[in-house]
């Protein structure tokens, strides 16, 4: 699943290429989008801004219209020059928005809807969404309060709850908890404020480090990196490394399905004891 850094980079690239230009073409295979486009045509509108909020991508158009998309597990945005061949089959196209110079194609996007900009703050998804970790105004105290509201929940599950903080997916969850030296199964109530502040600081640092890539990068093709190693085989600490030796202590990395969605969690049993508890 694309995480907050991937969506941020996608929005940044789309904004750089399309903002200020007029829409020349709109296509979609999604009936809900086509119904809105029939009443409020997209062609002729200006692309005002393309931004991200956690794992959500928002395309704002002139005339109070916003296209909201969420990639879930398999969705992605591609950009092409007009007439250039696509890297995915046309049957995977869900929505297409073109300007005179750029064709943006959303492939296999499961969530796509038009929202009036004036209704965005009241939209049920965004009204409940936690702060974006990549937002410069991110407030640790607000995030800490939302974690405390999930006191009896395992911290690994808390980090994945986009209502607490927005942008962390399964890979970052495992990597952040390793760097924080915290077990994914530690209850939020057992962790001190100091430990939680440190954990949130690591989360912000890691997501921000992973958006410092070339502006044209739209996908995770370059690979997520948390170790600071230049070795392409040593980019992650624990994620996807079940049974392999911990890069710090040598203990075998453990893995198990966890949480309500049975997402795969990776951790080092030696480096991630439940430290920092009350």
């Amino acid at each position: 699943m694309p995480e907050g850094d991937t969506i941020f980079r996608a929005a940044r690239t789309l904004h750089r290429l399309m903002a200020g230009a007029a829409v020349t073409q709109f296509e979609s295979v999604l009936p809900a989008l086509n119904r809105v486009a029939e009443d409020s045509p997209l062609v002729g509108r200006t692309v005002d801004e393309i931004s991200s909020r956690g794992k959500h991508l928002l395309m704002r158009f002139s005339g109070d219209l916003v296209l909201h998309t969420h990639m879930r597990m398999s969705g992605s945005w591609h950009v092409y020059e007009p007439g250039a061949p696509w890297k995915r089959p046309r049957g995977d196209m869900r929505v297409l928005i073109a300007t005179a110079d750029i064709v943006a194609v959303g492939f296999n996007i499961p969530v796509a809807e038009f929202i009036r900009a004036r209704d965005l703050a009241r939209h049920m998804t965004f009204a409940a969404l936690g702060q974006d970790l990549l937002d410069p105004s991110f407030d640790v105290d607000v995030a800490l309060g939302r974690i405390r509201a999930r006191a009896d929940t395992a911290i690994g599950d808390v980090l994945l709850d986009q209502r607490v903080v927005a942008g962390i997916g399964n890979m970052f969850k495992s990597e952040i908890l390793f760097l924080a030296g915290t077990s994914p199964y530690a209850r939020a109530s057992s962790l001190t404020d100091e430990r939680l502040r440190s954990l949130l600081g690591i989360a912000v640092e890691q997501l921000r480090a992973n958006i410092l890539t070339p502006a044209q990068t739209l996908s995770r093709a370059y690979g997520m990196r948390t170790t600071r190693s230049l070795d392409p085989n040593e980019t992650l600490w624990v994620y996807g490394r079940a049974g392999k030796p911990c890069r710090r202590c040598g203990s075998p990395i453990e893995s198990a399905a966890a949480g309500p969605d049975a997402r795969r969690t990776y951790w080092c049993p030696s480096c991630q004891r439940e430290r920092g508890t009350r």
Side-chain angles (χ1 to χ4, degrees):
M1 177 185 289
E3 303 192 24
D5 63 320
T6 304
I7 304 304
F8 180 95
R9 290 197 315 276
R12 178 179 61 188
T13 301
L14 288 165
H15 180 84
R16 179 176 62 86
L17 295 174
M18 302 181 76
V23 176
T24 58
Q25 182 184 1
F26 168 76
E27 291 184 33
S28 180
V29 299
L30 303 174
L33 293 188
N34 288 324
R35 283 196 296 270
V36 175
E38 288 175 4
D39 295 332
S40 303
L42 205 64
V43 173
R45 295 176 185 262
T46 301
V47 181
D48 286 343
E49 180 186 32
I50 302 175
S51 61
S52 65
R53 287 187 62 184
K55 300 179 184 180
H56 303 266
L57 191 143
L58 299 170
M59 293 185 173
R60 299 173 184 266
F61 303 95
S62 59
D64 193 44
L65 196 62
V66 179
L67 175 63
H68 162 229
T69 57
H70 193 293
M71 304 300 104
R72 293 277 174 87
M73 297 298 293
S74 58
S76 62
W77 279 98
H78 291 202
V79 290
Y80 302 98
E81 294 181 353
W86 295 357
K87 295 181 179 180
R88 300 286 296 273
R90 186 170 183 84
D92 289 346
M93 185 274 285
R94 298 294 180 268
V95 58
L96 179 153
I97 298 170
T99 65
D101 301 317
I102 293 295
V103 178
V105 187
F107 292 106
N108 292 328
I109 293 175
V111 177
E113 60 179 340
F114 282 119
I115 306 170
R116 294 295 175 185
R118 60 180 178 270
D119 297 329
L120 200 59
R122 298 191 299 272
H123 189 280
M124 61 180 182
T125 296
F126 299 103
L129 196 64
Q131 297 178 97
D132 188 335
L133 287 155
L134 289 171
D135 190 326
S137 64
F138 179 78
D139 189 325
V140 172
D141 289 330
V142 172
L144 187 61
R146 293 206 173 197
I147 292 175
R148 288 295 179 217
R150 299 288 308 277
D152 294 330
T153 306
I155 190 64
D157 296 335
V158 172
L159 292 183
L160 287 181
D161 188 341
Q162 302 301 296
R163 296 167 298 180
V164 177
V165 289
I168 296 176
N170 209 39
M171 284 189 286
F172 270 122
K173 174 200 73 177
S174 292
E175 294 295 295
I176 290 165
L177 289 170
F178 174 82
L179 289 166
T182 301
S183 166
Y185 299 104
R187 297 291 168 183
S189 59
S190 73
L191 301 175
T192 64
D193 285 356
E194 180 182 12
R195 172 63 63 179
L196 289 174
R197 288 177 185 277
S198 174
L199 191 154
L200 289 167
I202 291 169
V204 170
E205 177 185 13
Q206 288 299 320
L207 264 73
R208 288 182 179 173
N210 277 274
I211 65 172
L212 299 177
T213 59
Q216 68 271 21
T217 302
L218 268 175
S219 69
R220 192 180 290 283
Y222 79 100
M224 190 177 83
R225 185 180 299 272
T226 60
T227 63
R228 298 184 180 178
S229 171
L230 297 179
D231 187 334
N233 298 313
E234 297 183 359
T235 57
L236 300 176
W237 289 104
V238 293
Y239 187 83
R241 302 189 65 245
K244 296 181 180 179
C246 174
R247 301 193 193 282
R248 282 185 174 167
C249 73
S251 299
I253 298 299
E254 295 188 7
S255 173
D261 296 324
R263 304 296 301 280
R264 183 60 56 175
T265 296
Y266 300 84
W267 75 97
C268 172
S270 298
C271 296
Q272 292 176 256
R273 294 194 178 97
E274 294 186 15
R275 298 182 296 167
T277 56
R278 296 182 190 279

